[in-house]
């Protein structure tokens, strides 16, 4: 990934469009997963998805970078990151069994704020009062959605929350490896580890899938590979802090998918909480961009 993406308006517009397209694909993919997960165990769906992702990404990466891309310089961190990605995916898929898509997506989008917390402990970053306030607002938004202690509280809300926490931890690990590992190496290792983990668990949960379920699993794998590729290309064209606000469009897409596919209208609390989480995340991205400019000015 280009460490200093071009800042031209054309490149930035393309990057924004790629992020918007990727967020739509993720929302549609999650909708398809909700249709099939439950009758088909989450691990089995993850196994089908991982096979497709590996079959697509491995030849493409080898053609682009050569066999040396498979050699990780930090294999233990790569294994830990891959395991975290697997756990995060399984937790989110499990949450989809019990929660409306819009609810699960809104809770899960606390992950950008959790990255801030993990960065303090793992990277030694300092968080100012403004970013801390945005983090607090995001947590309040999450509590508004899940409403612990009320009659509307669903224990299953813990699954997308776990998914968000583990994904945030994996994201900070990615930052820690960025200087030594290429994005292609990390992508292949994560996909391979997810495939390995799901293969080891699969015999204990196996359910013979229908052709419909296999087709859905293949679609999820294809869409995942496409969306992640779009994100990689987007980050090559614009800074991550500039693109982060647009990723929250996935909450809008998820709400529309819930309405059109499942005839489920998000209630006012989900809309309010999701809006607060999105606003706090966008503000955090803004403060990150300001911080990076100040660091460049000093250096």
């Amino acid at each position: 990934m280009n460490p200093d993406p071009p800042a031209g308006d054309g490149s930035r517009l393309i990057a924004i469009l790629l992020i918007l397209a990727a967020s739509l694909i993720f929302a549609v993919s999650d909708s398809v997963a909700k249709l099939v997960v439950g009758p088909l165990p989450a691990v089995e769906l993850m196994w089908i998805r991982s096979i497709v992702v590996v079959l697509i990404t491995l030849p493409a990466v080898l053609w682009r970078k050569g066999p040396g891309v498979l050699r990780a310089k930090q294999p233990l961190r790569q294994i830990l990151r891959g395991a975290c990605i697997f756990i995060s995916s399984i937790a989110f898929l499990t949450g989809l069994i019990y929660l409306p898509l819009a609810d699960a997506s809104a809770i899960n989008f606390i992950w950008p704020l959790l990255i801030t917390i993990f960065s303090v402990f793992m990277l030694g970053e300092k968080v100012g009062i403004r970013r801390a306030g945005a983090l607090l607002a995001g947590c309040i938004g999450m509590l508004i959605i899940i409403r612990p202690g009320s009659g509307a509280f669903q224990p299953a809300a813990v699954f997308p929350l776990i998914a968000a926490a583990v994904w945030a931890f994996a994201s900070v690990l990615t930052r820690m490896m960025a200087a030594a590992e290429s994005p292609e190496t990390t992508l292949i290792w994560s996909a391979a580890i997810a495939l390995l983990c799901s293969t080891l668990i699969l015999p204990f949960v196996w359910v013979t899938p229908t052709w419909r379920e296999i087709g859905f699993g293949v679609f999820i794998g294809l869409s995942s590979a496409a969306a992640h590729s779009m994100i990689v290309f987007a980050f090559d064209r614009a800074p991550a802090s500039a693109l982060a606000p647009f990723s929250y469009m996935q909450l809008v897409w998820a709400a529309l998918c819930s309405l059109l596919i499942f005839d489920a209208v998000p209630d006012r609390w989900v809309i309010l909480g999701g809006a607060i989480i999105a606003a706090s995340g966008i503000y955090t991205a803004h403060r990150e961009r300001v911080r990076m400019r100040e660091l460049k000015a000093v250096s």
Side-chain angles (χ1 to χ4, degrees), residues 86-146:
F86 172 75
I87 293 170
S88 177
S89 298
I90 293 298
F92 185 75
L93 289 172
T94 303
L96 288 179
I97 299 174
Y98 307 102
L99 298 171
L101 174 62
D103 297 41
S105 298
I107 297 170
N108 183 250
F109 254 84
I110 198 72
W111 66 262
L113 302 173
L114 295 179
I115 287 177
T116 301
I117 297 177
F118 287 128
S119 296
V120 171
F121 295 101
M122 298 171 65
L123 301 177
E125 290 188 2
K126 295 182 179 180
V127 176
I129 187 66
R130 295 177 180 177
R131 290 175 70 192
L135 177 61
L136 178 60
C139 293
I140 292 173
M142 181 194 64
L143 291 175
I144 289 174
I145 296 173
I146 64 177

Side-chain angles (χ1 to χ4, degrees), residues 3 28 30 37 46 60 90 100 134 137 168 170 201 236 244 257 267 279 288 291:
V28 173
D30 290 343
V37 74
M46 186 68 180
I90 293 298
I201 300 173
D236 277 340
C257 287
D267 65 30
E288 178 69 14
R291 188 175 71 90

Side-chain angles (χ1 to χ4, degrees), residues 31 34 100-102 251-266:
S31 301
K34 184 170 177 59
L101 174 62
L251 296 179
V252 177
W253 302 136
L256 289 175
C257 287
S258 291
L259 177 61
L260 297 175
I261 299 175
F262 303 103
D263 197 25
V265 180

Side-chain angles (χ1 to χ4, degrees), residues 127-231:
V127 176
I129 187 66
R130 295 177 180 177
R131 290 175 70 192
L135 177 61
L136 178 60
C139 293
I140 292 173
M142 181 194 64
L143 291 175
I144 289 174
I145 296 173
I146 64 177
R147 283 163 284 167
S150 72
F153 173 70
Q154 297 188 56
V158 71
F159 290 112
L161 183 56
I162 290 173
V166 180
W167 179 268
F169 180 79
S171 298
V172 177
L173 280 178
T174 305
R175 288 186 183 180
M176 296 172 69
M177 296 187 295
E181 304 280 22
S182 71
E184 292 82 3
T185 300
T186 299
L187 179 65
I188 288 298
W189 272 69
S190 294
I193 291 168
L195 178 58
L196 175 62
C197 291
S198 55
T199 301
L200 292 174
I201 300 173
L202 190 62
F204 302 99
V205 298
W206 174 261
V207 173
T208 302
T210 65
W211 285 109
R212 174 178 176 269
E213 291 167 342
I214 293 175
F216 280 162
V218 171
F219 173 82
I220 292 170
L222 291 172
S223 60
S224 176
H228 282 289
S229 297
M230 290 178 180
I231 290 173

